[in-house]
Amino acid sequence: MPGVLAVTMVKDDVSEKDNLSSSLSPANLASFSDAACNHSSSEKSEFWLVRMEKPGVEVVTKAQMVDHYTQILMKVVGNEKDAQVSIYHVSWEENYGFCCHIDEECAKELADVPGVISVLPDSNFGSDKKDYRVSGDDSSKPSEATQVADVKTKRLFVTGLSFYTSEKTLREAFEPFGELVEVKIIMDRISRRSKGYAFIEYTTEEAGGAALKAMNGEIINGWMIVVDIAKTKSRDQKTPFGTSSFRPRFH
């Protein structure tokens, strides 16, 4: 389960303290999460501290932020279980980010995911004292979604979609802001199921900017979506793994 580092049997001849300390050792934690990354075991694995932009929506609970971080990490490790196992620390109240155990190649890919400010080695592994503060050069990478007042863009990147959301539903939600050129939900080639994100293009930049400002954080089919400016290079060509983003559950 998310947050559980180890489950060990307590033997009669070993104290509970000894079992606990051994189960939480860096070596054991590394062995548990080695299997989580979707890459060759011969690749170097590291512990990383990931600084995140503040979500453009009101966060209700810690569980929602954990789910958000899991969906972000899914973009490089491939599935939800592996992402959950890889995360071993989260920050969600004042500064935003998480720590995870993935290989260096995954970390490089993670740095290019929208919403990620930086991915650095976790120099304080084994301690709860983590520095998620954004300073220096990191502040030069603000969220494009937080500057919606000045945004003019024709093309949007929408994440956090329910697997059951269709292009028709998405079109109906975004049509009120202007004429649409394209609504494309990215599908997994093997499962034929939605990857949880889509690209939307308008005929004018004004319409795209208005949609970005109004639709970020809205609920579609029970899931909270995140709307951002689409990168110049289409991410459906760049990212080969299954993805989805901020998907807090609402009951």
Side-chain angles (χ1 to χ4, degrees), residues 57-84:
V57 294
E58 187 69 26
V59 178
V60 180
T61 65
K62 180 180 179 180
Q64 289 181 355
M65 284 308 302
V66 172
D67 189 57
H68 174 42
Y69 296 151
T70 299
Q71 305 305 323
I72 290 291
L73 193 55
M74 277 177 60
K75 298 185 178 187
V76 297
V77 301
N79 65 73
E80 188 170 14
K81 283 189 176 181
D82 287 351
Q84 289 174 339

Side-chain angles (χ1 to χ4, degrees), residues 176-236:
F177 303 99
E179 184 179 354
L180 290 165
V181 175
E182 180 185 38
V183 175
K184 183 179 182 182
I185 294 177
I186 307 304
M187 309 297 288
D188 184 85
R189 294 180 180 179
I190 298 176
S191 67
R192 301 294 180 183
R193 190 173 70 165
S194 166
K195 288 186 175 183
Y197 66 96
F199 291 94
I200 293 177
E201 186 174 355
Y202 286 92
T203 56
T204 66
E205 292 182 340
E206 289 74 17
L212 173 60
K213 184 176 181 180
M215 293 301 293
N216 188 37
E218 289 298 305
I219 307 297
I220 296 181
N221 289 140
W223 297 103
M224 184 183 295
I225 66 170
V226 173
V227 183
D228 207 341
I229 297 175
K231 306 298 181 183
T232 303
K233 183 175 180 180
S234 176
R235 295 199 65 85
D236 54 327

Side-chain angles (χ1 to χ4, degrees), residues 42-180:
S42 62
E43 296 185 23
K44 183 181 179 182
S45 293
E46 298 287 351
F47 299 95
W48 304 91
L49 185 145
V50 184
R51 293 186 177 123
M52 299 288 300
E53 296 172 356
K54 182 177 180 180
V57 294
E58 187 69 26
V59 178
V60 180
T61 65
K62 180 180 179 180
Q64 289 181 355
M65 284 308 302
V66 172
D67 189 57
H68 174 42
Y69 296 151
T70 299
Q71 305 305 323
I72 290 291
L73 193 55
M74 277 177 60
K75 298 185 178 187
V76 297
V77 301
N79 65 73
E80 188 170 14
K81 283 189 176 181
D82 287 351
Q84 289 174 339
V85 173
S86 297
I87 295 175
Y88 60 88
H89 190 273
V90 298
S91 176
W92 64 285
E93 292 181 298
E94 183 176 354
N95 301 298
Y96 297 88
F98 62 95
C99 290
C100 60
H101 183 242
I102 55 178
D103 65 44
E104 190 171 1
E105 188 63 30
C106 284
K108 291 178 180 178
E109 294 178 10
L110 184 59
D112 290 331
V113 173
V116 175
I117 295 175
S118 65
V119 180
L120 301 172
D122 181 9
S123 57
N124 272 345
F125 175 70
S127 170
D128 284 336
K129 295 182 179 180
K130 311 289 185 184
D131 185 7
Y132 293 100
R133 292 173 298 174
V134 178
S135 60
D137 292 338
D138 286 345
S139 62
S140 66
K141 186 183 175 184
S143 170
E144 292 150 345
T146 62
Q147 304 176 21
V148 292
D150 301 322
V151 165
K152 289 186 178 181
T153 178
K154 292 182 180 181
R155 191 166 168 82
L156 302 176
F157 179 56
V158 182
T159 59
L161 295 175
S162 164
F163 293 133
Y164 303 103
T165 298
S166 65
E167 290 182 352
K168 179 182 178 181
T169 300
L170 206 55
R171 179 176 288 275
E172 290 175 351
F174 281 83
E175 265 183 339
F177 303 99
E179 184 179 354
L180 290 165

